Amino acid sequence: MSVKELVERYCRTSKLPHIWCPGCGNGIIMGAVMRALDKADIDQDKTVIVSGIGCSSRAPGYMNFDTLHTTHGRALAYATGVKMANPDLNVVVLTGDGDCSAIGGNHLIHAARRNINLTVVVFNNSIYGMTGGQYSPLTPTHSYATTAPYGSIDRNFDLCKLVQAAGGTYVARGTTYHTRQLVDQIVAGLGHNGFSFIEVITQCPMYFGRKNKFPSAVDMLKWQQEHAVPVKAAAKMTSEQLAGKFLIGELYHEEAPEYTAVYEKEVIAKARGEVK
Amino acid sequence: MNSEVAHIDINEKWCKGCGICIAFCPAKVLVAREDGKAAVANIEACTRCGLCELRCPDYAISVGGKQHASTN
Ligand SMILES: Cc1ncc(C[n+]2csc(CCOP(=O)(O)OP(=O)(O)O)c2C)c(N)n1
Ligand code: SF4
Ligand code: SF4
């Protein structure tokens, strides 16, 4: 499918061009999500896209699906409601690192814990873009932000590990540079029957880039190219070689009972008196 | 090299001149215009890999031809 066809089919074209800054990774991720939905051959009329608040969370506003632009941090709570009410729907959550790890961190833990069948794509640009570059829980140690003028002293936080520990059953990390792999990671997440979590390392040239001396979005993508290590390659590397790098690829995958299916069997059926 | 010369469309209204497609084109097909927006300089070298399409944040560039990497 050509870009024109992709946009015509999956975007609300009257809303384009989008408002994101030049070089912002949000458009790359939204493109990857549309390509993945296309590749996975999902029914557009049976797909709901849910977001919270932030630059990244504006994405569903451009997408030609049933969409919910909710409140800050609560995308997963709304998405859980949609999925519980109608488990036949594909529910995709688009959220920022602030939206999902700070104010929405608690919802993330519990959605993962339940293993509810949602596909979550986190736009991790390491900062709060929309509100002017405050640091987020995912801002790397020693990086700068408007609220960290001397560099952040917080320890690094691995959201993928959190989700795995909480009970998420498909966990992957991609980048906006490794776009083709990203599409496949999202396809795998869509196909997985359980809580799927794809963290995407992306660029906010406007705030993270300027605060951290990246001259352009291109330099930020080069940084991704140089610092991302595929899981398989990492297995053969020493901890010294891996220092300062981050892993990309499928990080965790297991099959486990999915929440809405269990609910149907163990709650709804009993409540209806169909089983004892 | 290519049995068919590719065709690249750039939507100059949507292009924000970020330079991503130019910097990462493996065949160095693209250049920046004076205003920073992308332009085609060397279409014969295009292998239709589709990386510019995949990475353009603004859906402003598309590669015509047979192989489409983006939706293969
Ligand atoms: C309850 C509430 N608290 C705070 C805000 C202000 N606010 C809007 S977006 C945002 C952070 C966005 O950061 P992130 O989720 O990383 O998205 P980005 O803009 O970087 O894509 C904050 C704190 C809000 N809208 N609502
Ligand atoms: S402020 Fe950052 S995240 Fe927001 S649109 Fe601009 S570059 Fe993108
Ligand atoms: S990647 Fe897109 S927006 Fe950026 S210069 Fe190329 S065509 Fe323009």
Side-chain angles (χ1 to χ4, degrees):
Chain A
M1 184 179 285
S2 71
V3 173
K4 198 162 169 267
E5 287 164 335
L6 187 82
V7 165
E8 268 165 18
R9 172 138 186 214
Y10 296 110
C11 286
R12 295 170 180 158
T13 45
S14 63
K15 303 256 193 260
L16 292 174
H18 57 61
I19 54 139
W20 295 315
C21 305
C24 174
N26 290 345
I28 305 181
I29 303 175
M30 187 175 110
V33 171
M34 294 190 296
R35 287 176 169 101
L37 289 164
D38 187 69
K39 207 167 170 177
D41 208 17
I42 59 90
D43 183 344
Q44 206 164 344
D45 294 325
K46 283 203 166 164
T47 301
V48 180
I49 306 191
V50 186
S51 70
I53 296 291
C55 294
S56 41
S57 286
R58 296 187 71 114
Y62 300 113
M63 300 176 78
N64 190 17
F65 293 84
D66 290 315
T67 60
L68 280 173
H69 187 189
T70 71
T71 50
H72 195 30
R74 313 294 175 221
L76 280 164
Y78 284 85
T80 298
V82 171
K83 189 71 185 176
M84 289 298 285
N86 188 350
D88 290 338
L89 296 172
N90 308 304
V91 184
V92 177
V93 175
L94 306 182
T95 172
D97 48 302
D99 197 59
C100 120
S101 75
I103 190 168
N106 203 28
H107 295 295
L108 178 62
I109 291 170
H110 298 294
R113 178 175 65 78
R114 292 180 173 129
N115 194 35
I116 185 163
N117 187 7
L118 305 173
T119 303
V120 183
V121 179
V122 183
F123 295 47
N124 179 8
N125 59 10
S126 307
I127 207 150
Y128 290 0
M130 177 166 266
T131 44
Q134 296 82 2
Y135 69 86
S136 93
L138 295 184
T139 301
T141 314
H142 304 317
S143 292
Y144 294 89
T146 47
T147 47
Y150 305 105
S152 170
I153 60 166
D154 290 17
R155 296 179 70 201
N156 286 333
F157 181 25
D158 186 332
L159 211 54
C160 288
K161 281 190 182 157
L162 175 91
V163 170
Q164 181 184 337
T169 47
Y170 175 83
V171 181
R173 187 183 291 117
T175 80
T176 45
Y177 174 79
H178 303 84
T179 327
R180 204 167 306 184
Q181 293 94 315
L182 176 60
V183 173
D184 290 336
Q185 288 163 346
I186 302 170
V187 170
L190 290 167
H192 175 71
N193 185 24
F195 191 78
S196 304
F197 184 81
I198 300 116
E199 179 191 14
V200 191
I201 306 300
T202 181
Q203 71 279 11
C204 166
M206 186 54 75
Y207 290 107
F208 193 85
R210 288 206 298 205
K211 284 278 168 204
N212 292 282
K213 303 205 165 43
F214 285 99
S216 71
V218 167
D219 297 285
M220 300 180 86
L221 289 187
K222 283 189 182 146
W223 181 90
Q224 293 179 8
Q225 184 186 22
E226 286 157 13
H227 291 81
V229 181
V231 181
K232 274 195 193 132
K236 296 185 205 120
M237 289 166 70
T238 63
S239 50
E240 289 82 40
Q241 287 170 318
L242 285 169
K245 310 266 196 223
F246 64 91
L247 298 189
I248 56 168
E250 184 179 299
L251 303 174
Y252 187 70
H253 189 179
E254 78 168 294
E255 298 300 325
E258 191 277 325
Y259 196 71
T260 59
V262 176
Y263 185 73
E264 179 63 38
K265 201 168 102 205
E266 294 187 16
V267 179
I268 299 291
K270 282 182 191 164
R272 284 190 187 129
E274 290 162 6
V275 287
K276 291 226 172 80
Chain B
M1 224 170 47
N2 302 303
S3 54
E4 186 191 325
V5 173
H7 180 79
I8 294 178
D9 271 324
I10 295 166
N11 178 343
E12 56 178 293
K13 284 200 191 114
W14 286 10
C15 172
K16 292 176 185 161
C18 69
I20 289 174
C21 58
I22 303 167
F24 297 105
C25 170
K28 303 272 169 270
V29 171
L30 306 162
V31 292
R33 311 193 312 199
E34 229 163 69
D35 62 2
K37 296 191 184 200
V40 178
N42 184 17
I43 191 67
E44 297 75 28
C46 177
T47 63
R48 287 181 235 119
C49 70
L51 286 169
C52 55
E53 288 186 358
L54 279 167
R55 295 202 184 108
C56 172
D58 289 274
Y59 321 122
I61 187 163
S62 67
V63 185
K66 277 185 195 140
Q67 293 140 337
H68 259 286
S70 56
T71 49
N72 55 6

